[in-house]
Amino acid sequence: MKAAVIVFPGSNCDRDLAVALRAAGFDVTMVWHKDTGLPADVDLVGLPGGFSFGDYLRCGAIAARSPIVSAVVDHAKKGGYVLGICNGFQILTESGLLPGALMRNRELKYICRTVPLIVKNASSAFTNGYRDRQAIDIPIAHHDGNYSADADTLERLTGEGRVAFTYAANPNGSRNDIAGVLSENGRVLGMMPHPERAADPALGGTDGRALFTSLAQSFADA
């Protein structure tokens, strides 16, 4: 199982994501944002959290136009898997791989704490290690995590089972309490909470580990 973690100027969770993926059994390659191609036969691309390009213009807007993102988009369009966490989620919306936008938090303050989530779809490759409606605790760390979309998009996401996670107690004003969404084919996941920060007991919790082991098992069974 091969994974590539993209590194942008300002990424600060790239190594954390790589550690979590390696612990789940992935062979991980770090890829610089100016590269134009992904490693051969890569199964999963990870877009990590952080503050790419200092969050100038809009969070993820400049990173979404980095040379490597064209390869990430091509990978996704061919049915490849992509995981975007926090800033990575913002990049996914800016690149058009996921609908909606991440706006300023409701109280216009940076939030950094562990929050309760509800697993809304436990049948995707990312979430099949959880139970439907399972409550899990995952850290967040963002200023622009308020998920917004028009009413038709929100209805479609819900009706198609593409809401992967919701907040049990909405910290940022996200519409419909949305914390993570899936693409139409279920192979692209964007989420604001950081599962890689809850994937080892030394970090204070392990509720995020199942996301990475879910992926590993899905690839092993393929």
Side-chain angles (χ1 to χ4, degrees):
M1 301 175 294
K2 295 183 179 180
V5 174
I6 311 302
V7 183
F8 300 93
S11 294
N12 64 12
C13 299
D14 44 316
R15 285 179 290 180
D16 306 65
L17 180 55
V19 167
L21 287 168
R22 287 182 178 124
F26 284 88
D27 178 10
V28 180
T29 301
M30 311 302 282
V31 178
W32 184 232
H33 76 111
K34 286 189 176 181
D35 291 349
T36 56
L38 294 168
D41 302 321
V42 69
D43 299 300
L44 170 72
V45 176
L47 301 177
F51 304 92
S52 58
F53 294 93
D55 284 348
Y56 291 117
L57 299 182
R58 294 183 308 275
C59 298
I62 298 177
R65 286 144 185 86
S66 288
I68 193 61
V69 174
S70 294
V72 175
V73 171
D74 288 344
H75 172 77
K77 287 182 175 179
K78 292 175 182 176
Y81 288 83
V82 182
L83 170 62
I85 299 171
C86 198
N87 189 219
F89 188 8
Q90 295 161 343
I91 295 168
L92 289 174
T93 61
E94 288 286 345
S95 65
L97 285 176
L98 289 176
L102 284 308
M103 310 295 287
R104 292 288 172 89
N105 293 341
R106 177 177 50 207
E107 303 298 330
L108 303 180
K109 294 181 179 179
Y110 179 81
I111 305 171
C112 184
R113 64 174 183 263
T114 297
V115 300
L117 303 181
I118 303 297
V119 180
K120 297 293 286 185
N121 179 342
S123 61
S124 77
F126 300 92
T127 58
N128 59 33
Y130 297 108
R131 304 183 307 276
D132 275 321
R133 305 294 303 173
Q134 181 177 347
I136 59 175
D137 294 323
I138 305 290
I140 60 172
H142 58 250
H143 189 277
D144 297 63
N146 181 351
Y147 183 78
S148 300
D150 61 60
D152 289 343
T153 298
L154 292 170
E155 183 178 0
R156 187 171 70 252
L157 290 174
T158 301
E160 296 176 356
R162 291 170 55 191
V163 178
F165 302 99
T166 57
Y167 297 107
N170 194 328
N172 55 28
S174 289
R175 297 286 300 276
N176 294 1
D177 303 324
I178 289 174
V181 300
L182 292 157
S183 60
E184 288 185 21
N185 66 1
R187 295 190 171 198
V188 179
L189 170 65
M191 59 187 297
M192 288 307 298
H194 286 267
E196 79 283 9
R197 296 186 183 183
D200 188 289
L203 300 175
T206 59
D207 284 358
R209 179 186 290 168
L211 186 143
F212 301 103
T213 57
S214 294
L215 278 168
Q217 190 61 51
S218 295
F219 288 123
D221 292 342

